[in-house]
Amino acid sequence: MSSVIVVVGPGLIGQAIARRVGVNKHVLLADLRQGNADAAAETLGNAGYDVSVAAVDISDRQAVHALVEQATGLGEVTGLIHAAGVSPSQAPPDAVLRVDLYGTALVLEEFGEVVASGGSGVVISSKSGHRLPALTQEQNEALAAAPVAELLTLPFLQPDQVQDSLHAYQLAKRGNSLRVMAEAVRWGRRGARLNTISPGIVITPLAKDELNGPRGEGYRRMIQSSPVGRAGTPDEVGAVGALLMGPDGGFITGSDILMDGGVTAAYWYGEVPEVRS
């Protein structure tokens, strides 16, 4: 039986991880836009990977379930790379929460029902989740463990409480790391592991949208003022993803790896200008 790696959101970061963990496995590339999945499949296929594609709306349970069925029809699901999402400059608050928070929780729940023993997953979150002020314990528990169908009805996620896309994004990304921690317990019962990576500014088309958007100047200041002094690359995230999904990361689960060149450290304790992102 084939070993299947599912990549939800096969952009540059998703592909970078897949290149490292997808050798001698079947890689299923899923995206909201079929054209994006096809382009990723052409790139990886030309590099010798065994690939297939799917279109999926991660905020639609039936669509996610259909993706799970497609994956299990190809073989044993041993890996999940979840890199799908929208940025604050790309969507209004309700869409950010629906895709980045609810959609991620839905994907983890559905694939948590089928992931094979010895399997692993990684969710690409964001440094933004580390910049949100502390939530209450009740809010943390709700983001981590509320039934997926009830997530978007939580009182502190309603339009009168979340009035801009950046706040929605921060909540969603904090929710991702909390959700992964809770889901890691459930995945562990199947002998599988699950972790989060929270990258900083990594040069991808999404990052370029932010750099050229209304918060672009602030993003450039963050890069210049960070301890590392530069943006990251998808391959650097790919290396961390490979560690988390591979045998060398076998003792790591339920964790969130912040890799942002020290931007968050400087935000809290250094001299990064006050840019809330």
Side-chain angles (χ1 to χ4, degrees), residues 54-216:
V56 63
D57 177 354
I58 63 171
S59 65
D60 182 327
R61 182 177 287 276
Q62 289 186 335
V64 174
H65 188 72
L67 177 64
V68 171
E69 291 188 328
Q70 181 175 347
T72 54
L74 292 167
E76 189 177 50
V77 177
T78 59
L80 170 68
I81 302 164
H82 181 72
V86 294
S87 77
S89 294
Q90 294 175 324
D94 61 329
V96 171
L97 291 173
R98 186 174 68 253
V99 175
D100 290 11
L101 178 67
Y102 172 81
T104 299
L106 183 55
V107 168
L108 296 181
E109 180 179 78
E110 288 279 344
F111 277 97
E113 297 291 333
V114 301
V115 64
S117 178
S120 59
V122 65
V123 173
I124 304 302
S125 185
S126 168
K127 72 179 185 339
S128 282
H130 291 262
R131 294 181 169 225
L132 186 70
L135 300 174
T136 67
Q137 183 61 29
E138 291 76 13
Q139 289 171 330
N140 284 338
E141 291 178 357
L143 288 173
V148 176
E150 298 176 13
L151 262 179
L152 296 181
T153 69
L154 295 174
F156 62 96
L157 299 182
Q158 298 315 298
D160 63 326
Q161 300 294 312
V162 184
Q163 299 181 3
D164 67 79
S165 294
L166 181 54
H167 186 202
Y169 190 72
Q170 291 176 328
L171 284 164
K173 297 308 178 180
R174 177 71 62 80
N176 289 166
S177 61
L178 290 167
R179 200 80 189 182
V180 162
M181 187 178 293
E183 279 285 344
V185 177
R186 190 168 70 94
W187 280 46
R189 298 189 188 111
R190 296 184 62 87
R193 297 181 298 106
L194 180 65
N195 292 289
T196 312
I197 301 174
S198 290
I201 300 173
V202 174
I203 299 303
T204 65
L206 185 148
K208 287 184 175 180
D209 283 346
E210 290 298 318
L211 286 165
N212 294 316
R215 284 176 287 274

Side-chain angles (χ1 to χ4, degrees), residues 5 7 13-23 27 44 49 81:
I5 303 290
V7 185
I13 290 176
Q15 289 183 47
I17 301 174
R19 283 178 179 273
R20 290 162 170 81
V21 302
V23 176
V27 182
L44 290 176
Y49 292 84
I81 302 164

Side-chain angles (χ1 to χ4, degrees), residues 196-264:
T196 312
I197 301 174
S198 290
I201 300 173
V202 174
I203 299 303
T204 65
L206 185 148
K208 287 184 175 180
D209 283 346
E210 290 298 318
L211 286 165
N212 294 316
R215 284 176 287 274
E217 182 180 352
Y219 269 65
R220 288 185 287 274
R221 289 203 303 269
M222 281 192 290
I223 293 171
Q224 295 163 2
S225 302
S226 69
V228 171
R230 64 171 175 84
T233 66
D235 278 350
E236 289 174 302
V237 183
V240 175
L243 167 66
L244 294 176
M245 294 186 71
D248 287 344
F251 198 57
I252 308 172
T253 194
S255 295
D256 181 16
I257 307 300
L258 174 64
M259 55 174 305
D260 66 353
V263 166
T264 299

